[in-house]
Amino acid sequence: MPATVPEAVPSVTISVAPLVLLSACDHYGRTAKGTKKRVVGVLLGQNSGSVVRVTNSFAVPFEEDEKDPAVWFLDHNYVESMRDMFKKVNAKEKLIGWYHSGPKLRASDLQINELFKRYTPNPLLVIIDVEPKPIGVPTDAYFAVEEIKDDGTTASKTFVHTPSIIEAEEAEEIGVEHLLRDIRDVAVGSLSTRINNQLQALQGLHLRLRDIGNYLSKVNSGALPVNHTILGLLQDVFNLLPNLSTPSAEGGEESNELSRALAIKTNDQLMNIYLSSLIRAIIAFHDLIDNKIKNRQDQAEGEGEAEGEKDKAEKKDEKSAEKDGKKDDTEKKGGIDKDLDL
């Protein structure tokens, strides 16, 4: 039977930085905008086995024949030169894969992927959708695996899709916020902006629910096998929804079940927030009392040290005064002896 995804590729998390998206879009806009050509580049980052973090990229000269997809050219000498220069700047960023502007997989992708195996054992392919879309993640990540056929023929290479996310570091988040602040339309009010954001969020939710419905329909009809991991995640989602079958209060009029269920859910959440606030306030008072006690102890110790130093100084003065008195007595006695001799 063909190799399954868990057997072929371990469970990994693909994290792509926004800088990579900006670089790929700029590469496409400068060289292939308005044409059917695609652009190709190299991905840099860290691969720890369970997490693949794509942090940087650079463009690569690439040409291919539109009529014959098997004819293509990629300057691997340029790749090696740029890799060595990036290594001098930041040795932590290593060559982990490559990207192209897609929008879909092509026949020559496996051959190009074999070329990148010179630099990394299991190169990552990320297809970046450079066309602006209101919803969805603009990246699709793939790993190449061997597909074992059940008829005994030779195994062939194929790409397996891996989920990816867009994740920015703190510095990148600040830069993106400033960029959005500069390009935001000043004439549009904050109310319309919030409504547009909510509309886009609802559209994305509608697409996700439609995909879930299609998947469950295919599982129910037997077109897809049952995946208990996916069903467990769906059950977790359903558990977060309010209980719509809550009975009405005894002895009272029948109330709206939906509103009562939402009220119960909201009250439970507010109770957690209230208890958290109380605990935080008690801990803050406890720290305040500890600080006051410590300050008083430090002040008492400082006063005790000052009194001790004062006593030492007084004793020293008394000793010096006694020495001076003895010296004067000795001098007077010596003068009397001299007078007697005369």
Side-chain angles (χ1 to χ4, degrees):
M1 295 181 65
T4 58
V5 176
E7 295 175 352
V9 178
S11 178
V12 296
T13 302
I14 310 297
S15 175
V16 183
L19 179 63
V20 177
L21 303 181
L22 294 175
S23 178
C25 292
D26 180 70
H27 182 199
Y28 178 81
R30 292 175 183 271
T31 59
K33 188 175 183 180
T35 64
K36 295 182 179 180
K37 296 181 180 180
R38 61 172 177 169
V39 295
V40 176
V42 172
L43 299 176
L44 303 174
Q46 297 89 29
N47 186 352
S48 62
S50 60
V51 178
V52 179
R53 173 68 176 163
V54 184
T55 57
N56 205 348
S57 65
F58 62 85
V60 176
F62 177 78
E63 295 290 340
E64 64 180 343
D65 191 354
E66 297 180 359
K67 297 180 180 180
D68 187 3
V71 179
W72 52 272
F73 168 77
L74 190 145
D75 193 349
H76 58 88
N77 293 325
Y78 178 83
V79 174
E80 294 173 359
S81 300
M82 291 294 293
R83 181 194 60 176
D84 294 338
M85 286 189 288
F86 271 95
K87 189 175 182 180
K88 293 179 181 179
V89 176
N90 189 356
K92 293 182 179 180
E93 290 184 347
K94 299 180 180 180
L95 197 155
I96 59 174
W98 60 291
Y99 74 86
H100 69 77
S101 58
K104 299 294 182 181
L105 289 170
R106 299 195 183 184
S108 59
D109 288 347
L110 285 172
Q111 300 175 3
I112 301 174
N113 197 75
E114 290 294 325
L115 175 64
F116 278 96
K117 283 189 176 181
R118 297 181 181 180
Y119 316 111
T120 181
N122 192 14
L124 168 69
L125 168 60
V126 176
I127 298 179
I128 300 176
D129 190 359
V130 294
E131 298 295 334
K133 291 184 179 180
I135 55 177
V137 179
T139 58
D140 289 319
Y142 298 91
F143 282 106
V145 298
E146 289 188 358
E147 184 180 9
I148 303 175
K149 299 181 180 180
D150 53 359
D151 55 0
T153 57
T154 306
S156 60
K157 291 281 187 178
T158 185
F159 281 109
V160 176
H161 182 267
T162 303
S164 60
I165 58 175
I166 308 299
E167 187 177 11
E169 296 180 354
E170 184 178 1
E172 293 175 325
E173 290 179 357
I174 295 173
V176 172
E177 288 179 359
H178 281 286
L179 179 62
L180 293 176
R181 189 181 305 168
D182 293 337
I183 65 177
R184 187 176 297 152
D185 190 359
V186 183
V188 180
S190 60
L191 178 60
S192 60
T193 303
R194 285 187 294 174
I195 292 176
N196 288 330
N197 294 335
Q198 291 180 357
L199 178 61
Q200 293 178 1
L202 291 175
Q203 290 176 349
L205 178 61
H206 174 69
L207 292 178
R208 301 296 183 273
L209 292 176
R210 187 180 64 183
D211 294 339
I212 292 173
N214 294 334
Y215 171 75
L216 294 177
S217 299
K218 291 181 180 179
V219 171
N220 188 27
S221 62
L224 291 176
V226 177
N227 191 323
H228 296 286
T229 302
I230 297 177
L231 294 181
L233 295 175
L234 291 177
Q235 186 63 49
D236 292 339
V237 173
F238 295 148
N239 291 337
L240 295 175
L241 297 176
N243 187 8
L244 303 181
S245 60
T246 304
S248 59
E250 296 180 1
E253 298 180 356
E254 294 185 357
S255 60
N256 189 357
E257 293 182 357
L258 177 60
S259 61
R260 188 166 183 271
L262 290 175
I264 293 173
K265 190 73 174 179
T266 304
N267 290 336
D268 292 341
Q269 294 176 351
L270 292 177
M271 177 61 70
N272 293 332
I273 295 173
Y274 177 68
L275 292 176
S276 301
S277 300
L278 285 178
I279 294 172
R280 187 169 58 241
I282 292 172
I283 293 174
F285 278 122
H286 185 269
D287 294 339
L288 179 61
I289 293 172
D290 285 345
N291 289 334
K292 286 188 174 181
I293 294 174
K294 187 177 180 180
N295 290 334
R296 289 179 180 176
Q297 291 177 353
D298 294 341
Q299 186 178 1
E301 291 177 358
E303 291 177 354
E305 292 177 356
E307 291 178 357
E309 292 179 356
K310 187 176 180 180
D311 294 338
K312 290 180 180 179
E314 290 178 354
K315 291 180 180 179
K316 189 176 181 180
D317 294 339
E318 291 177 356
K319 289 181 179 180
S320 59
E322 289 178 358
K323 289 182 180 179
D324 294 338
K326 291 179 179 180
K327 187 177 181 181
D328 293 338
D329 294 339
T330 304
E331 290 178 353
K332 289 179 179 179
K333 186 177 180 181
I336 293 170
D337 293 339
K338 287 180 181 180
D339 293 337
L340 293 175
D341 292 336
L342 292 173

